[in-house]
Amino acid sequence: MTSTALPIDLGDGIVLTATVVADAEAAYRVVERERDRLRQWLPWIDDTTSVRIEREFLASLESANADGSGLHATIRLDGEFAGVAGLRISAVHRSAEVGYWLAARAVGRGVMTRAVAALIDIAIRDRALNRVELMAATANHRSRAVAERLGLRLEGVRRQAELLASGFVDLAVYSTLAAEWPGAAAALAAARDQARGATNH
Ligand SMILES: CC(C)(COP(=O)(O)OP(=O)(O)OC[C@H]1O[C@@H](n2cnc3c(N)ncnc32)[C@H](O)[C@@H]1OP(=O)(O)O)[C@@H](O)C(=O)NCCC(=O)NCCS
């Protein structure tokens, strides 16, 4: 089953397309250039040492999109690769876990909040999933802010659940359930107003 939900145009030059192997060169260029920033929060960065490895990884995302076990999107900003956001889906539990990263040039513009909102929307409305989970290192304030802007609920902390370059870190666990997700539209509008307010000052 190939995703019919993608591509999605989120406005302001942001487009989500289904991730394909052909995205590997552009993705790897960003990984190479921005290793120091990304390494802080992404455990796979130091193992991604060639375009070939990136291609193999994206091939696994492409086949997850095809068999329904994932919904992985490449984020384009003004037509160029700007990051990825995806869901790993458990059909058994009708749940999904969201993961993402952005190129530096796309940070600070609300790109990820909108991308994650769109993916959760697809998960809950189109795929009839019941739960979407988002985990971020407790010190990863930018990532936690994405969850909080969308009104996801903080469930707790998984102690030393991730091994990053700095050592073991605790993960904050956020989630939304199908029954509470409609409230996210309001959370998004509030985040937009807040962002507008901040730029007006
Ligand atoms: C985590 C990460 C994706 C967050 O990126 P981000 O740009 O902070 O998040 P968003 O794209 O949602 O943008 C939010 C910012 O845009 C602003 N913004 C502008 N327009 C906005 C809009 N329409 N809606 C929401 N926010 C908007 C917000 O105010 C916020 O800026 P601020 O942090 O200066 O207040 C990014 O920092 C990253 O890639 N980090 C490295 C990898 C990583 O940590 N991955 C996650 C592992 S769990």
mmCIF file of all heavy atoms in Angstrom, residues 37-38 41-42 100-102 106-114 135-136 140 142-143 146 149 191-192 195, ligand 1:
data_model
loop_
_atom_site.group_PDB
_atom_site.id
_atom_site.type_symbol
_atom_site.label_atom_id
_atom_site.label_comp_id
_atom_site.label_asym_id
_atom_site.label_seq_id
_atom_site.Cartn_x
_atom_site.Cartn_y
_atom_site.Cartn_z
ATOM 1 N N ARG A 37 25.969 19.800 14.804
ATOM 2 C CA ARG A 37 24.686 20.184 15.404
ATOM 3 C C ARG A 37 23.791 18.965 15.601
ATOM 4 O O ARG A 37 23.185 18.780 16.655
ATOM 5 C CB ARG A 37 23.982 21.211 14.506
ATOM 6 C CG ARG A 37 22.645 21.698 15.023
ATOM 7 C CD ARG A 37 22.008 22.678 14.050
ATOM 8 N NE ARG A 37 21.706 22.066 12.779
ATOM 9 C CZ ARG A 37 20.528 21.511 12.476
ATOM 10 N NH1 ARG A 37 19.548 21.510 13.358
ATOM 11 N NH2 ARG A 37 20.337 20.963 11.302
ATOM 12 N N LEU A 38 23.730 18.111 14.576
ATOM 13 C CA LEU A 38 22.784 16.993 14.604
ATOM 14 C C LEU A 38 23.216 15.886 15.572
ATOM 15 O O LEU A 38 22.380 15.227 16.200
ATOM 16 C CB LEU A 38 22.610 16.431 13.192
ATOM 17 C CG LEU A 38 21.976 17.409 12.187
ATOM 18 C CD1 LEU A 38 22.068 16.863 10.766
ATOM 19 C CD2 LEU A 38 20.511 17.699 12.557
ATOM 20 N N TRP A 41 21.719 15.296 19.093
ATOM 21 C CA TRP A 41 20.407 14.708 19.401
ATOM 22 C C TRP A 41 20.065 13.464 18.608
ATOM 23 O O TRP A 41 19.033 12.838 18.848
ATOM 24 C CB TRP A 41 19.298 15.749 19.182
ATOM 25 C CG TRP A 41 19.510 16.998 19.965
ATOM 26 C CD1 TRP A 41 19.668 18.261 19.483
ATOM 27 C CD2 TRP A 41 19.601 17.115 21.393
ATOM 28 N NE1 TRP A 41 19.855 19.148 20.503
ATOM 29 C CE2 TRP A 41 19.821 18.468 21.693
ATOM 30 C CE3 TRP A 41 19.534 16.198 22.460
ATOM 31 C CZ2 TRP A 41 19.963 18.937 23.001
ATOM 32 C CZ3 TRP A 41 19.675 16.659 23.760
ATOM 33 C CH2 TRP A 41 19.886 18.009 24.016
ATOM 34 N N LEU A 42 20.865 13.123 17.590
ATOM 35 C CA LEU A 42 20.513 11.981 16.733
ATOM 36 C C LEU A 42 21.569 10.888 16.865
ATOM 37 O O LEU A 42 22.734 11.100 16.517
ATOM 38 C CB LEU A 42 20.398 12.436 15.269
ATOM 39 C CG LEU A 42 19.344 13.529 15.019
ATOM 40 C CD1 LEU A 42 19.409 14.024 13.577
ATOM 41 C CD2 LEU A 42 17.936 13.018 15.334
ATOM 42 N N TYR A 100 12.012 12.991 13.699
ATOM 43 C CA TYR A 100 12.251 14.071 12.728
ATOM 44 C C TYR A 100 13.591 14.764 12.943
ATOM 45 O O TYR A 100 14.189 14.691 14.009
ATOM 46 C CB TYR A 100 11.142 15.131 12.825
ATOM 47 C CG TYR A 100 10.780 15.541 14.240
ATOM 48 C CD1 TYR A 100 11.598 16.391 14.968
ATOM 49 C CD2 TYR A 100 9.624 15.068 14.857
ATOM 50 C CE1 TYR A 100 11.275 16.773 16.257
ATOM 51 C CE2 TYR A 100 9.280 15.440 16.154
ATOM 52 C CZ TYR A 100 10.112 16.291 16.844
ATOM 53 O OH TYR A 100 9.802 16.656 18.128
ATOM 54 N N TRP A 101 14.018 15.428 11.886
ATOM 55 C CA TRP A 101 15.144 16.374 12.002
ATOM 56 C C TRP A 101 15.069 17.377 10.855
ATOM 57 O O TRP A 101 14.508 17.100 9.803
ATOM 58 C CB TRP A 101 16.496 15.669 12.033
ATOM 59 C CG TRP A 101 16.867 14.875 10.812
ATOM 60 C CD1 TRP A 101 16.537 13.564 10.581
ATOM 61 C CD2 TRP A 101 17.646 15.309 9.683
ATOM 62 N NE1 TRP A 101 17.065 13.162 9.366
ATOM 63 C CE2 TRP A 101 17.748 14.216 8.786
ATOM 64 C CE3 TRP A 101 18.270 16.504 9.332
ATOM 65 C CZ2 TRP A 101 18.448 14.282 7.581
ATOM 66 C CZ3 TRP A 101 18.971 16.578 8.127
ATOM 67 C CH2 TRP A 101 19.050 15.469 7.271
ATOM 68 N N LEU A 102 15.643 18.528 11.087
ATOM 69 C CA LEU A 102 15.619 19.616 10.098
ATOM 70 C C LEU A 102 17.030 20.098 9.786
ATOM 71 O O LEU A 102 17.885 20.138 10.680
ATOM 72 C CB LEU A 102 14.879 20.834 10.660
ATOM 73 C CG LEU A 102 13.365 20.916 10.588
ATOM 74 C CD1 LEU A 102 12.918 22.240 11.198
ATOM 75 C CD2 LEU A 102 12.857 20.781 9.156
ATOM 76 N N ALA A 106 16.215 25.538 7.929
ATOM 77 C CA ALA A 106 14.757 25.454 8.091
ATOM 78 C C ALA A 106 14.316 25.622 9.546
ATOM 79 O O ALA A 106 13.119 25.692 9.830
ATOM 80 C CB ALA A 106 14.256 24.118 7.556
ATOM 81 N N VAL A 107 15.274 25.705 10.471
ATOM 82 C CA VAL A 107 14.937 25.793 11.899
ATOM 83 C C VAL A 107 14.396 27.189 12.227
ATOM 84 O O VAL A 107 14.843 28.186 11.659
ATOM 85 C CB VAL A 107 16.176 25.456 12.769
ATOM 86 C CG1 VAL A 107 15.933 25.766 14.244
ATOM 87 C CG2 VAL A 107 16.551 23.987 12.598
ATOM 88 N N GLY A 108 13.410 27.225 13.126
ATOM 89 C CA GLY A 108 12.919 28.514 13.636
ATOM 90 C C GLY A 108 11.804 29.127 12.806
ATOM 91 O O GLY A 108 11.446 30.277 13.003
ATOM 92 N N ARG A 109 11.211 28.331 11.890
ATOM 93 C CA ARG A 109 10.177 28.855 11.002
ATOM 94 C C ARG A 109 8.850 28.117 11.121
ATOM 95 O O ARG A 109 7.965 28.281 10.291
ATOM 96 C CB ARG A 109 10.676 28.791 9.549
ATOM 97 C CG ARG A 109 11.949 29.612 9.370
ATOM 98 C CD ARG A 109 12.657 29.336 8.066
ATOM 99 N NE ARG A 109 11.850 29.684 6.912
ATOM 100 C CZ ARG A 109 12.344 29.856 5.681
ATOM 101 N NH1 ARG A 109 13.634 29.732 5.474
ATOM 102 N NH2 ARG A 109 11.563 30.158 4.688
ATOM 103 N N GLY A 110 8.742 27.249 12.133
ATOM 104 C CA GLY A 110 7.482 26.516 12.304
ATOM 105 C C GLY A 110 7.303 25.368 11.333
ATOM 106 O O GLY A 110 6.227 24.775 11.243
ATOM 107 N N VAL A 111 8.383 25.012 10.624
ATOM 108 C CA VAL A 111 8.291 23.942 9.619
ATOM 109 C C VAL A 111 7.935 22.610 10.282
ATOM 110 O O VAL A 111 7.026 21.897 9.851
ATOM 111 C CB VAL A 111 9.626 23.811 8.838
ATOM 112 C CG1 VAL A 111 9.620 22.585 7.948
ATOM 113 C CG2 VAL A 111 9.894 25.074 8.030
ATOM 114 N N MET A 112 8.656 22.271 11.371
ATOM 115 C CA MET A 112 8.448 20.941 11.949
ATOM 116 C C MET A 112 7.115 20.836 12.667
ATOM 117 O O MET A 112 6.451 19.800 12.597
ATOM 118 C CB MET A 112 9.604 20.580 12.888
ATOM 119 C CG MET A 112 9.635 19.108 13.207
ATOM 120 S SD MET A 112 9.614 18.054 11.715
ATOM 121 C CE MET A 112 11.338 18.077 11.243
ATOM 122 N N THR A 113 6.713 21.884 13.337
ATOM 123 C CA THR A 113 5.413 21.830 14.005
ATOM 124 C C THR A 113 4.320 21.534 12.979
ATOM 125 O O THR A 113 3.454 20.681 13.199
ATOM 126 C CB THR A 113 5.126 23.174 14.718
ATOM 127 O OG1 THR A 113 6.156 23.368 15.701
ATOM 128 C CG2 THR A 113 3.781 23.175 15.403
ATOM 129 N N ARG A 114 4.391 22.192 11.826
ATOM 130 C CA ARG A 114 3.373 21.968 10.797
ATOM 131 C C ARG A 114 3.491 20.580 10.179
ATOM 132 O O ARG A 114 2.498 19.919 9.904
ATOM 133 C CB ARG A 114 3.446 23.068 9.740
ATOM 134 C CG ARG A 114 2.788 24.356 10.262
ATOM 135 C CD ARG A 114 2.897 25.487 9.297
ATOM 136 N NE ARG A 114 4.177 26.182 9.413
ATOM 137 C CZ ARG A 114 4.491 27.282 8.738
ATOM 138 N NH1 ARG A 114 3.627 27.771 7.878
ATOM 139 N NH2 ARG A 114 5.653 27.879 8.920
ATOM 140 N N MET A 135 8.983 11.105 21.382
ATOM 141 C CA MET A 135 9.948 11.094 22.484
ATOM 142 C C MET A 135 11.117 12.010 22.152
ATOM 143 O O MET A 135 11.606 12.007 21.019
ATOM 144 C CB MET A 135 10.456 9.678 22.730
ATOM 145 C CG MET A 135 9.387 8.788 23.338
ATOM 146 S SD MET A 135 10.032 7.201 23.856
ATOM 147 C CE MET A 135 10.124 6.366 22.301
ATOM 148 N N ALA A 136 11.549 12.763 23.143
ATOM 149 C CA ALA A 136 12.684 13.675 22.943
ATOM 150 C C ALA A 136 13.530 13.677 24.203
ATOM 151 O O ALA A 136 12.993 13.584 25.321
ATOM 152 C CB ALA A 136 12.173 15.087 22.660
ATOM 153 N N ASN A 140 16.416 18.364 25.125
ATOM 154 C CA ASN A 140 16.235 18.812 23.741
ATOM 155 C C ASN A 140 15.010 19.755 23.690
ATOM 156 O O ASN A 140 13.903 19.378 23.285
ATOM 157 C CB ASN A 140 16.045 17.608 22.803
ATOM 158 C CG ASN A 140 16.113 18.005 21.341
ATOM 159 O OD1 ASN A 140 16.054 19.185 20.999
ATOM 160 N ND2 ASN A 140 16.229 17.017 20.470
ATOM 161 N N ARG A 142 14.130 22.314 21.878
ATOM 162 C CA ARG A 142 13.466 22.608 20.597
ATOM 163 C C ARG A 142 12.520 21.475 20.200
ATOM 164 O O ARG A 142 11.421 21.719 19.706
ATOM 165 C CB ARG A 142 14.498 22.849 19.493
ATOM 166 C CG ARG A 142 15.036 24.265 19.498
ATOM 167 C CD ARG A 142 15.704 24.618 18.182
ATOM 168 N NE ARG A 142 15.970 26.038 18.122
ATOM 169 C CZ ARG A 142 15.099 26.944 17.699
ATOM 170 N NH1 ARG A 142 13.912 26.585 17.270
ATOM 171 N NH2 ARG A 142 15.416 28.222 17.711
ATOM 172 N N SER A 143 12.961 20.250 20.410
ATOM 173 C CA SER A 143 12.118 19.115 20.035
ATOM 174 C C SER A 143 10.909 19.012 20.971
ATOM 175 O O SER A 143 9.779 18.779 20.529
ATOM 176 C CB SER A 143 12.939 17.826 20.076
ATOM 177 O OG SER A 143 12.160 16.767 19.587
ATOM 178 N N VAL A 146 8.141 21.327 20.030
ATOM 179 C CA VAL A 146 7.265 20.882 18.928
ATOM 180 C C VAL A 146 6.074 20.127 19.526
ATOM 181 O O VAL A 146 4.908 20.413 19.218
ATOM 182 C CB VAL A 146 8.032 19.981 17.926
ATOM 183 C CG1 VAL A 146 7.087 19.355 16.911
ATOM 184 C CG2 VAL A 146 9.135 20.783 17.219
ATOM 185 N N ARG A 149 3.813 22.586 21.534
ATOM 186 C CA ARG A 149 3.027 23.468 20.659
ATOM 187 C C ARG A 149 1.800 22.765 20.101
ATOM 188 O O ARG A 149 0.777 23.386 19.866
ATOM 189 C CB ARG A 149 3.893 23.929 19.492
ATOM 190 C CG ARG A 149 4.243 25.393 19.543
ATOM 191 C CD ARG A 149 5.097 25.756 18.335
ATOM 192 N NE ARG A 149 6.398 26.169 18.776
ATOM 193 C CZ ARG A 149 7.532 25.533 18.533
ATOM 194 N NH1 ARG A 149 7.572 24.450 17.774
ATOM 195 N NH2 ARG A 149 8.651 25.974 19.020
ATOM 196 N N ALA A 191 -0.084 28.674 18.390
ATOM 197 C CA ALA A 191 1.369 28.747 18.145
ATOM 198 C C ALA A 191 1.662 29.768 17.049
ATOM 199 O O ALA A 191 2.625 30.529 17.120
ATOM 200 C CB ALA A 191 1.904 27.372 17.748
ATOM 201 N N ARG A 192 0.796 29.794 16.037
ATOM 202 C CA ARG A 192 0.988 30.724 14.919
ATOM 203 C C ARG A 192 0.851 32.163 15.416
ATOM 204 O O ARG A 192 1.655 33.022 15.110
ATOM 205 C CB ARG A 192 -0.044 30.423 13.831
ATOM 206 C CG ARG A 192 0.435 30.763 12.453
ATOM 207 C CD ARG A 192 -0.391 30.140 11.349
ATOM 208 N NE ARG A 192 -1.765 29.909 11.690
ATOM 209 C CZ ARG A 192 -2.353 28.709 11.608
ATOM 210 N NH1 ARG A 192 -1.682 27.669 11.240
ATOM 211 N NH2 ARG A 192 -3.631 28.569 11.913
ATOM 212 N N ALA A 195 3.890 33.095 17.405
ATOM 213 C CA ALA A 195 5.046 33.354 16.532
ATOM 214 C C ALA A 195 4.912 34.725 15.892
ATOM 215 O O ALA A 195 5.880 35.486 15.796
ATOM 216 C CB ALA A 195 5.157 32.269 15.463
HETATM 217 C C1 LIG B 1 13.887 19.509 16.728
HETATM 218 C C2 LIG B 1 13.803 20.454 15.536
HETATM 219 C C3 LIG B 1 13.182 19.736 14.348
HETATM 220 C C4 LIG B 1 12.917 21.651 15.953
HETATM 221 O O1 LIG B 1 12.998 22.648 14.964
HETATM 222 P P1 LIG B 1 12.283 24.085 15.200
HETATM 223 O O2 LIG B 1 12.550 24.883 14.006
HETATM 224 O O3 LIG B 1 12.626 24.598 16.541
HETATM 225 O O4 LIG B 1 10.729 23.692 15.253
HETATM 226 P P2 LIG B 1 9.624 24.267 14.257
HETATM 227 O O5 LIG B 1 10.040 23.990 12.859
HETATM 228 O O6 LIG B 1 8.345 23.744 14.703
HETATM 229 O O7 LIG B 1 9.726 25.857 14.455
HETATM 230 C C5 LIG B 1 9.407 26.444 15.693
HETATM 231 C C6 LIG B 1 10.000 27.820 15.704
HETATM 232 O O8 LIG B 1 9.489 28.568 14.603
HETATM 233 C C7 LIG B 1 8.690 29.662 15.094
HETATM 234 N N1 LIG B 1 7.540 29.752 14.182
HETATM 235 C C8 LIG B 1 7.475 30.614 13.138
HETATM 236 N N2 LIG B 1 6.340 30.398 12.474
HETATM 237 C C9 LIG B 1 5.666 29.401 13.100
HETATM 238 C C10 LIG B 1 4.429 28.766 12.861
HETATM 239 N N3 LIG B 1 3.657 29.093 11.828
HETATM 240 N N4 LIG B 1 4.035 27.752 13.676
HETATM 241 C C11 LIG B 1 4.817 27.395 14.716
HETATM 242 N N5 LIG B 1 6.010 27.978 14.993
HETATM 243 C C12 LIG B 1 6.425 28.985 14.190
HETATM 244 C C13 LIG B 1 8.387 29.310 16.523
HETATM 245 O O9 LIG B 1 8.173 30.470 17.300
HETATM 246 C C14 LIG B 1 9.657 28.607 16.925
HETATM 247 O O10 LIG B 1 10.720 29.529 17.068
HETATM 248 P P3 LIG B 1 11.490 29.722 18.483
HETATM 249 O O11 LIG B 1 12.018 28.398 18.895
HETATM 250 O O12 LIG B 1 12.541 30.684 18.143
HETATM 251 O O13 LIG B 1 10.427 30.215 19.402
HETATM 252 C C15 LIG B 1 15.220 20.994 15.110
HETATM 253 O O14 LIG B 1 15.739 21.782 16.151
HETATM 254 C C16 LIG B 1 16.209 19.871 14.783
HETATM 255 O O15 LIG B 1 16.219 19.357 13.673
HETATM 256 N N6 LIG B 1 17.060 19.511 15.785
HETATM 257 C C17 LIG B 1 18.098 18.495 15.575
HETATM 258 C C18 LIG B 1 17.504 17.089 15.419
HETATM 259 C C19 LIG B 1 16.549 16.737 16.539
HETATM 260 O O16 LIG B 1 16.687 17.161 17.665
HETATM 261 N N7 LIG B 1 15.529 15.880 16.198
HETATM 262 C C20 LIG B 1 14.528 15.463 17.158
HETATM 263 C C21 LIG B 1 15.003 14.331 17.966
HETATM 264 S S1 LIG B 1 13.760 13.902 19.172
#
